[in-house]
Amino acid sequence: MTFSSARSGTFVERQVLGWLTSLAFPDVPQAGGCFTSGGTQSNFQALLILRNEALRRAGVDVNALGLVEALSRTGHRGMRIFASEASHPSIFAAVRQLGLGDAGLHRVPTDGQDRLCPVALEAALVEARRQGQLPAVVVLTAGSSGVGAVDPLREGMRLAHQHGALVHVDAAHGSLLLFSQRHRGLLDGLQGADTVTLDPHKVLGLNAQLGGLLVRDARLLTLLGKVSLDYFVTSEVSDLGEVTLDGSRALNSLGAWLLLRHFGRDGYGRLVDHLFALARDFTRRLKKSGCFELFPDTPTMNMLAFRLRPKAASETPEELARENARNDALLSRLMQSRKFAVSCYRHASGRLYLRAVFINPASRPEHMAALADALIQLAREAE
């Protein structure tokens, strides 16, 4: 979006970005951001500019030299990006798209609740240095797509900075916590990140095609490597088109502007609290039934993964396949009713879980009761 072709749109986007940036990076005057087509593009752009910044700090300009020559001049054998096994697949794809390949990604193990393990991260950072790799970026997740897990942000950032790596936080889902006074503590430490992905599509209840990338220092956005178009007149107002991967694009941020003006931070805060209360109520009902195994035992956010309580004590590959088939059949039967929509989540262990996400502001406790009752009835019939 250029100022020359979208004067009013530029001001709308700048205002919405200002509101969101003030939530993620309070009291950081140099912070900034841009809008993207969604969380996937935000994650890619974040890793792109952080890769370039890591090389800039090593004394080379990758936009001028290219990746191979830039790495060669730093004296490193390669560069490494670190992300947990529970990270969104767009992170893994972005590493490939940046020319680093699977060898450039270290998948850090998680704990029993899908959170990145700091001890494993530290070991990976040390090993990368030993191998002559440049530790470029540590990716932390705030609200995993599977169960809403939030990585230990402060500890992850401390380790990253200790080893000279930059930090990206994928908060595409978890950024909704920024609106809630009651739950925003789950994002403690977020303001220390270099870049943050948020997804107004999820957070604000908008249609798709609007993602956000926030940066602690707006100068990072200029590392995109984009060349200005010579047929646009230079103005005193910075063109947002110069810091995004897109060229011409729709003013999708207008919906965010309208909703934020209408509901305000307090309104969205009440919505977040409402959705979390629904998740707690649903969790309580499933626990009380005794029919299901929950993951995690207490949900972190407004989503929950669960499966039929296993019949066997041990979980051999054969038993795991049978348990997964049972849960797949349960999901199919529920979907056939056409009353409820429940998705699924396949854990790194291979376990198949059903997954409920509470994101609709019109949902009420009675809806949670009806869904829980339907699941419990199907579970008892499957015994």
Side-chain angles (χ1 to χ4, degrees):
M1 176 178 295
T2 64
F3 180 72
S4 301
S5 60
R7 291 172 173 81
S8 59
T10 298
F11 290 114
V12 167
E13 287 214 353
R14 285 167 64 91
Q15 187 167 42
V16 178
L17 285 168
W19 291 336
L20 297 176
T21 301
S22 68
L23 292 176
F25 297 111
D27 304 317
V28 182
Q30 71 272 24
C34 65
F35 283 120
T36 68
S37 64
T40 293
Q41 184 177 319
S42 294
N43 281 336
F44 173 78
Q45 185 170 337
L47 293 187
L48 173 60
I49 61 177
L50 291 183
R51 181 203 70 178
N52 295 353
E53 172 65 3
L55 289 167
R56 187 196 69 79
R57 292 184 179 187
V60 294
D61 181 357
V62 65
N63 285 326
L65 298 173
L67 183 58
V68 175
E69 180 64 19
L71 272 172
S72 175
R73 293 195 187 188
T74 67
H76 292 91
R77 297 177 58 188
M79 64 192 312
R80 196 65 57 82
I81 291 176
F82 306 83
S84 86
E85 294 175 337
S87 297
H88 192 272
S90 63
I91 297 294
F92 308 144
V95 178
R96 290 178 172 181
Q97 293 156 0
L98 291 175
L100 301 179
D102 292 338
L105 171 70
H106 187 103
R107 298 194 184 207
V108 183
T110 57
D111 63 12
Q113 298 187 49
D114 265 9
R115 300 173 302 194
L116 176 141
C117 178
V119 174
L121 173 61
E122 183 172 26
L125 288 163
V126 170
E127 179 62 15
R129 286 289 190 191
R130 190 190 68 79
Q131 294 178 0
Q133 299 281 336
L134 173 64
V137 185
V138 170
V139 178
L140 301 172
T141 300
S144 66
S145 57
V147 296
V150 178
D151 289 340
L153 300 181
R154 285 195 179 276
E155 181 65 4
M157 290 179 195
R158 183 189 69 80
L159 292 171
H161 296 154
Q162 180 179 326
H163 292 272
L166 296 152
V167 177
H168 171 60
V169 176
D170 178 7
H173 188 93
S175 53
L176 59 84
L177 295 166
L178 292 170
F179 292 94
S180 171
Q181 295 293 339
R182 181 177 302 174
H183 299 290
R184 65 178 290 122
L186 288 169
L187 297 183
D188 182 43
L190 180 72
Q191 63 274 19
D194 295 289
T195 55
V196 175
T197 286
L198 78 161
D199 201 342
H201 158 53
K202 295 182 177 68
V203 177
L204 303 180
L206 290 164
N207 292 331
Q209 303 302 313
L210 184 65
L213 173 61
L214 305 181
V215 295
R216 185 173 178 81
D217 187 339
R219 289 176 296 182
L220 282 175
L221 294 171
T222 64
L223 298 176
L224 190 60
K226 203 165 185 180
V227 178
S228 298
L229 298 171
D230 55 10
Y231 53 82
F232 280 120
V233 178
T234 302
S235 71
E236 295 181 357
V237 178
S238 61
D239 282 338
L240 293 168
E242 295 181 357
V243 296
T244 64
L245 293 168
D246 298 307
S248 300
R249 55 193 170 87
L251 183 59
N252 292 329
S253 56
L254 180 59
W257 184 86
L258 289 168
L259 288 173
L260 284 167
R261 291 276 295 183
H262 178 70
F263 290 106
R265 178 173 176 175
D266 290 343
Y268 274 110
R270 290 193 295 272
L271 170 59
V272 171
D273 295 345
H274 168 66
L275 297 175
F276 273 56
L278 293 178
R280 288 195 301 271
D281 178 61
F282 182 72
T283 300
R284 179 184 60 80
R285 293 175 185 275
L286 290 195
K287 282 185 176 181
K288 185 178 180 180
S289 73
C291 298
F292 296 95
E293 176 184 274
L294 278 58
F295 180 71
D297 187 61
T298 300
T300 304
M301 295 186 59
N302 57 320
M303 62 176 71
L304 176 69
F306 54 95
R307 64 174 185 159
L308 290 168
R309 189 167 294 283
K311 290 185 176 181
S314 62
E315 199 162 63
T316 63
E318 295 75 15
E319 288 293 342
L320 177 60
R322 280 192 283 270
E323 291 300 333
N324 286 348
R326 291 177 65 218
N327 284 281
D328 186 54
L330 177 64
L331 175 62
S332 296
R333 290 193 63 190
L334 183 68
M335 298 299 284
Q336 287 171 5
S337 71
R338 297 185 180 276
K339 294 180 179 179
F340 306 102
V342 174
S343 59
C344 60
Y345 167 58
R346 190 174 295 276
H347 188 260
S349 63
R351 299 187 190 101
L352 179 68
Y353 290 92
L354 279 70
R355 175 173 168 271
V357 182
F358 308 100
I359 199 70
N360 188 342
S363 296
R364 294 290 180 266
E366 54 266 30
H367 300 141
M368 299 306 98
L371 173 58
D373 289 345
L375 283 165
I376 292 167
Q377 180 179 345
L378 289 174
R380 289 173 176 164
E381 292 174 359
E383 291 179 353

